[in-house]
Amino acid sequence: MDKKILSVVIILVILLGVYSYVTFDFAPASTDALKVGVIGVLSGPAATSWGIDTQRGIEFAVEDAGELGINIEIIVADSEAQPSIGVSEFKRINSLSSPDLFIVESSAVASAIKPLVNDVNKPIFFTAVAVDDITKGSPLLFRNFYLCSVESPLLAKSAINKLDLKKTVVLFQKEPFGESCSKFFIDEFEKMGGEVVLIDDFLIGATDFKTILLKTKNVDFDSIYISSYELSLAALFETMKELNINKKVFSTTLAYSPTIRKNVSENTEPFQVFFSGTEFYLESEKAISFGKRFKAKYGTEPSHVAAYSYDSMMMIALAKQIADEKSISLEQALLEVEFEGINGLIKLDVDREVQNPVYLLAINKEGKAVEVN
């Protein structure tokens, strides 16, 4: 073969390989597709359930939106729940794929990415982010998730008013989610006349809690508040049982995640663990239907974050539809969306937050969540 022809063939082969690689990572969307960059949590200790479930909820909604004729392409990156990685992946995706909108999960990552909103000048939609005031500062910031400022005060008030518990220990994961939720709990508990007798923190993914829990042997208390991801929560309940610490526990909704639900139930007494939740864990008709479909598709029960991320992605899909019909921006269209989702009515308020009613729940002797009146 002629050397010049051979050189051309080699170059074409190389170019084809590069094109295939780029296409695999960042598939080009059709002209009418909405491109959504997802900064998820797919590995690390925080991915035990909610990180994977968030991704599955988004994928599920993209499929359902497709059935409605709404075309969405998602470009996914893994932050590992680490702010520095999340920021790096956010910038990388924006540079290489230029999404129309971003979905970001994890309070720590969201807090780090929020200041970049004016740089990209695109809507950022937070889900699985409970830290307070995340939508403040820009009309391009949106959220659909429960708030530490709502959940934690409910638990504090319930501890004192419903269960007459006045002395508590507070243990929290040392990052924005754990710090924010525990602060709101402490503030409300003390405001209601309660006493916080011990406060301690731990790192994400910690599983050795003997030293921390042995400190409780030296104080007088009747309850424990815990703000943490699932891996540490499971270890805390196991160690509490081992050390015979049989106190009422108030925790985040993560205490009832399917991944650790059996662990929590086996290591505690009925009505020992209390948490807040939406209609999803009260098994509304929509929640039951979603749970069946989710399990049929993925083989596992969905956690509350799957419901939140599904509703969030559907809100974005419907906003795309409205934006196309009315020739308005995506951020304007998001403010017009209103529908009945898995967690109830999905509609943004003046702060661009979706706030559904939350209820005090407890785990009964069958290991099920029940409302506490």
Side-chain angles (χ1 to χ4, degrees):
M1 183 182 291
D2 186 276
K3 288 185 178 180
K4 289 185 178 180
I5 296 175
L6 180 60
S7 299
V8 170
V9 171
I10 291 171
I11 290 170
L12 286 174
V13 169
I14 292 171
L15 288 174
L16 182 60
V18 171
Y19 175 78
S20 300
Y21 173 78
V22 173
T23 303
F24 177 78
D25 276 344
F26 304 104
S30 60
T31 54
D32 64 341
L34 179 72
K35 294 175 71 175
V36 178
V38 180
I39 310 300
V41 180
L42 303 177
S43 63
T48 357
S49 167
W50 65 261
I52 303 299
D53 267 13
T54 300
Q55 179 65 23
R56 287 174 171 175
I58 289 170
E59 292 172 352
F60 209 159
V62 168
E63 290 182 14
D64 283 359
E67 304 234 347
L68 298 175
I70 306 169
N71 190 9
I72 299 171
E73 176 199 358
I74 57 172
I75 305 105
V76 182
D78 180 15
S79 74
E80 302 176 33
Q82 296 187 41
S84 59
I85 296 176
V87 167
S88 176
E89 288 299 281
F90 179 86
K91 291 178 178 179
R92 182 180 69 85
I93 284 180
N94 187 60
S95 174
L96 292 175
S97 298
S98 190
D100 303 295
L101 174 147
F102 280 93
I103 294 177
V104 177
E105 62 171 309
S106 164
S107 292
V109 176
S111 298
I113 285 177
K114 174 182 174 178
L116 303 178
V117 65
N118 292 328
D119 295 339
V120 298
N121 196 33
K122 298 172 183 178
I124 299 178
F125 203 108
F126 300 111
T127 192
V129 173
V131 68
D132 206 42
D133 291 339
I134 199 68
T135 63
K136 299 291 175 66
S138 171
L140 293 171
L141 299 171
F142 305 83
R143 167 165 55 185
N144 175 31
F145 205 60
Y146 67 80
L147 311 181
C148 287
S149 58
V150 174
E151 180 193 68
S152 298
L154 170 67
L155 296 176
K157 290 175 183 175
S158 300
I160 291 177
N161 291 338
K162 292 188 176 183
L163 299 174
D164 195 31
L165 303 171
K166 301 294 177 62
K167 294 184 178 183
T168 194
V169 168
V170 173
L171 306 177
F172 66 92
Q173 185 173 273
K174 194 171 178 55
E175 49 75 61
F177 164 61
E179 291 167 350
S180 179
C181 284
S182 61
K183 180 183 182 301
F184 279 108
F185 181 87
I186 291 168
D187 289 349
E188 190 65 31
F189 195 81
E190 292 180 336
K191 178 183 173 183
M192 298 291 295
E195 180 184 359
V196 180
V197 298
L198 176 65
I199 302 174
D200 213 336
D201 60 60
F202 50 89
L203 298 177
I204 293 176
T207 55
D208 184 356
F209 290 103
K210 278 191 176 180
T211 301
I212 287 179
L213 289 173
L214 282 171
K215 294 178 185 178
T216 66
K217 299 289 187 179
N218 301 318
V219 295
D220 178 26
F221 70 107
D222 49 29
S223 62
I224 301 178
Y225 173 80
I226 306 172
S227 182
S228 165
Y229 295 152
E230 295 140 303
L231 188 66
S232 295
L233 272 174
L236 273 162
F237 285 117
E238 289 172 1
T239 310
M240 284 172 60
K241 184 175 182 179
E242 180 184 339
L243 298 178
N244 196 29
I245 301 173
N246 188 21
K247 304 290 185 180
K248 300 293 186 186
V249 179
F250 294 85
S251 189
T252 66
T253 315
L254 285 165
Y256 195 63
S257 290
T259 303
I260 65 167
R261 191 177 298 166
K262 185 178 180 182
N263 171 288
V264 174
S265 182
E266 289 178 347
N267 286 290
T268 59
E269 299 296 325
F271 292 94
Q272 182 182 347
V273 180
F274 298 84
F275 57 97
S276 73
T278 63
E279 291 181 14
F280 178 70
Y281 280 145
L282 290 177
E283 297 188 328
S284 65
E285 186 176 331
K286 277 187 172 291
I288 292 171
S289 174
F290 176 73
K292 288 179 179 177
R293 292 176 62 212
F294 191 95
K295 189 168 185 178
K297 182 175 178 60
Y298 297 110
T300 60
E301 287 186 52
S303 66
H304 61 290
V305 291
Y308 274 113
S309 62
Y310 177 90
D311 284 346
S312 298
M313 189 69 253
M314 286 305 298
M315 173 173 247
I316 292 165
L318 295 173
K320 157 69 173 169
Q321 191 174 55
I322 292 171
D324 288 348
E325 290 172 355
K326 295 189 175 183
S327 296
I328 60 177
S329 68
L330 191 59
E331 56 266 29
Q332 289 175 308
L334 280 166
L335 299 174
E336 296 189 17
V337 177
E338 183 175 343
F339 69 101
E340 283 296 324
I342 312 302
N343 276 310
L345 180 66
I346 306 301
K347 180 181 180 181
L348 291 163
D349 63 16
V350 293
D351 294 319
R352 299 171 307 285
E353 301 263 18
V354 177
Q355 295 198 42
N356 298 118
V358 292
Y359 308 91
L360 179 68
L361 307 177
I363 300 178
N364 67 10
K365 64 181 181 180
E366 283 81 34
K368 298 289 186 181
V370 293
E371 185 178 0
V372 179
N373 297 312

